[in-house]
Amino acid sequence: MTNYQEAEIQDLVLSGQLPRHVAIIMDGNGRWARKRNLPRFAGHRFGLESVRKIVSECAKRNVEVLTLFAFSSENWKRPQKEVGVLMDLFMTALKQEVKKLHKNNVRLKIVGGREAFKPKLQALIQDAEDFTQENTGLTLVIAANYGGRWDIMQAMKRMMEDVMSEQRSMDSLGVGDLDQYMSLSELPEPDLFIRTGGEQRISNFLLWQLAYTELYFTETLWPDFDESELAKAIDSFSSRQRRFGRTGEQVEQVAGA
Ligand code: FPP
């Protein structure tokens, strides 16, 4: 838990001041490199620097969860060499950063179809998660071989297994019941979604979980996204009124109570 009490957080979240969960599509590494006549992989290497900065800044700002889209289920379509570079970067980052994350009380969680990765990478992922699982500070979620449709489908399959084995009844199923089967089930839903790199789309990221999330798009390319860029995104978030289907007057009453 952060410096804030649970009830205070609820109020702050309702009045839109503090994001508990920030989710980011880190786009623009390739363009950043091309602008400097560098190969695309150089953009990904510098992108990792931005990851370090933003993880540390989120921890400082008492953000509870930071979810980063590192590799989508569609990214396998990229040139084989680039896929290889991204996998190597992921392995190196896991090897080099885990101790530092642990020292900073960060809990690491990887979501996505990890069976597609080489056994060595799968083992590194498992070790990193085990090593940091008791940490109580920022939860850093890395979405790797992840797709929003995949997530809904795997959740649906597991829920139907429970229906078929009669642990659940079909008639009692409601919208919220799928939540507990989703990849981020035990975490609060994202409050603030950020996409860098100028595109304004969700690209099969957290489709189910983004239902009420505030969306923020910036032209800034991911390797240029730093602490001041994050501050701009959080300021934009703080200036919005989140209504969750209620009226503006109802929200003002709750916030003022
Ligand atoms: C999108 O930029 C970025 C990615 C597909 C990979 C993101 C990876 C990192 C930031 C580094 C590794 C991170 C971790 C957590 C280990 P793009 O290549 O699509 O850029 P473009 O749109 O300019 O081509």
Side-chain angles (χ1 to χ4, degrees):
M1 205 43 164
T2 64
N3 293 337
Y4 295 94
Q5 294 302 313
E6 184 71 31
E8 281 174 302
I9 286 180
Q10 286 304 333
D11 285 348
L12 285 167
V13 168
L14 203 59
S15 62
Q17 292 172 33
L18 181 80
R20 293 174 73 184
H21 183 169
V22 177
I24 309 183
I25 295 188
M26 310 177 286
D27 199 8
N29 293 346
R31 277 165 287 159
W32 185 92
R34 244 183 287 131
K35 269 168 65 177
R36 289 162 179 76
N37 283 325
L38 295 168
R40 289 179 58 82
F41 72 79
H44 297 314
R45 294 235 161 93
F46 278 90
L48 187 54
E49 281 306 312
S50 296
V51 170
R52 289 194 184 99
K53 284 183 202 162
I54 298 308
V55 169
S56 148
E57 187 62 13
C58 282
K60 253 191 239 162
R61 284 173 171 269
N62 290 331
V63 169
E64 287 175 52
V65 187
L66 172 65
T67 300
L68 301 175
F69 205 3
F71 192 84
S72 79
S73 34
E74 287 76 32
N75 284 152
W76 296 107
K77 295 179 199 151
R78 293 193 172 207
Q80 215 182 337
K81 201 170 156 204
E82 183 168 340
V83 171
V85 165
L86 284 168
M87 291 298 141
D88 287 349
L89 209 55
F90 195 20
M91 294 253 270
T92 314
L94 280 173
K95 277 187 212 152
Q96 286 178 352
E97 307 293 327
V98 167
K99 281 201 181 118
K100 224 187 300 165
L101 292 173
H102 182 59
K103 223 173 104 198
N104 287 295
N105 199 20
V106 175
R107 181 168 70 117
L108 192 63
K109 183 176 164 67
I110 314 302
V111 296
R114 65 178 71 177
E115 70 292 335
F117 298 133
K118 288 187 179 145
K120 209 168 147 195
L121 179 52
Q122 288 186 42
L124 272 173
I125 289 173
Q126 195 57 52
D127 289 350
E129 285 183 331
D130 293 347
F131 191 57
T132 61
Q133 69 174 345
E134 304 294 338
N135 290 339
T136 54
L138 175 74
T139 297
L140 173 60
V141 181
I142 304 290
N145 191 26
Y146 178 87
R149 289 177 178 170
W150 165 86
D151 199 0
I152 294 168
M153 200 59 202
Q154 66 78 26
M156 184 69 86
K157 279 186 184 163
R158 291 196 296 130
M159 190 170 78
M160 292 328 281
E161 271 165 21
D162 283 352
V163 170
M164 275 145 74
S165 62
E166 293 179 358
Q167 287 177 57
R168 272 180 177 274
S169 94
M170 182 75 108
D171 293 339
S172 70
L173 290 181
V175 171
D177 287 307
L178 200 62
D179 280 341
Q180 70 187 88
Y181 298 92
M182 299 295 297
S183 291
L184 305 182
S185 59
E186 86 282 18
L187 301 170
E189 286 184 359
D191 301 297
L192 171 62
F193 161 94
I194 300 171
R195 181 175 187 147
T196 62
E199 312 291 353
Q200 303 202 353
R201 42 176 185 261
I202 299 197
S203 297
N204 199 17
F205 194 25
L206 304 162
L207 297 180
W208 178 264
Q209 299 87 344
L210 290 177
Y212 284 99
T213 304
E214 295 296 324
L215 308 180
Y216 177 87
F217 299 96
T218 171
E219 293 291 323
T220 304
L221 305 174
W222 177 250
D224 291 327
F225 194 86
D226 59 9
E227 295 85 348
S228 66
E229 292 291 330
L230 180 69
K232 280 190 224 163
I234 293 180
D235 284 351
S236 164
F237 172 83
S238 306
S239 69
R240 303 182 195 185
Q241 186 190 55
R242 303 183 76 195
R243 293 200 281 272
F244 302 98
R246 289 180 244 189
T247 67
E249 290 75 18
Q250 282 176 307
V251 172
E252 273 154 32
Q253 256 173 14
V254 176

